[in-house]
Amino acid sequence: MTDTSALKYTAEHEWIALDGDVATIGITDYAADKLGDVVFVDLPVVDSGVSAGQVCGEIESTKSVGELYAPVAGDVVAVNDAVVDDPSLVNSSPYEDGWLLKLRVDPAAVEGLLDRAAYEALTGGE
């Protein structure tokens, strides 16, 4: 089980786990719940670059289509092919099997993101 208090968060409902200079990124359980059943995930190509705040993918559910924003700038070093093959992993395991991509980043860029308490305050404690 992932320690969600050790993660960083964005106001766009992404979580970030930093390991050295590699950030693993997914969407929160709050976002996954609000989206409903995820049926399609489009992720960026490995070895491409992303800019902070720009759309880098798409998540489609039975309720809507949502855009995936890059929480920080970086180079895509991995994408979760298991999620592409089985998008329901975003709902069933948002913090573990449902991760979306890994970016090589400047670790200092991650430090300025929300901590768990700030994220819970943003979502009303959900």
Side-chain angles (χ1 to χ4, degrees):
M1 179 102 188
T2 299
D3 177 6
T4 57
S5 66
L7 303 175
K8 293 290 191 176
Y9 299 87
T10 70
E12 289 75 32
H13 309 291
E14 289 113 1
W15 59 261
I16 299 97
L18 188 62
D19 182 12
D21 65 350
V22 175
T24 302
I25 297 163
I27 65 168
T28 65
D29 54 346
Y30 175 85
D33 183 57
K34 295 297 181 194
L35 279 170
D37 295 332
V38 175
V39 295
F40 177 77
V41 175
D42 181 41
L43 298 173
V45 177
V46 173
D47 293 331
S48 64
V50 298
S51 299
Q54 292 194 336
V55 174
C56 66
E58 187 175 277
I59 300 173
E60 183 177 336
S61 72
T62 54
K63 291 182 179 177
S64 67
V65 176
E67 295 177 324
L68 176 64
Y69 294 91
V72 292
D75 296 320
V76 179
V77 295
V79 295
N80 189 352
D81 291 328
V83 165
V84 174
D85 293 341
D86 181 6
S88 70
L89 290 172
V90 172
N91 297 106
S92 65
S93 182
Y95 296 104
E96 295 168 351
D97 298 333
W99 65 273
L100 299 174
L101 64 145
K102 295 185 180 201
L103 299 177
R104 187 167 313 282
V105 300
D106 175 356
V110 175
E111 291 305 314
L113 299 175
L114 302 172
D115 63 15
R116 184 69 186 182
Y119 181 71
E120 286 179 347
L122 178 75
T123 60
E126 291 187 49

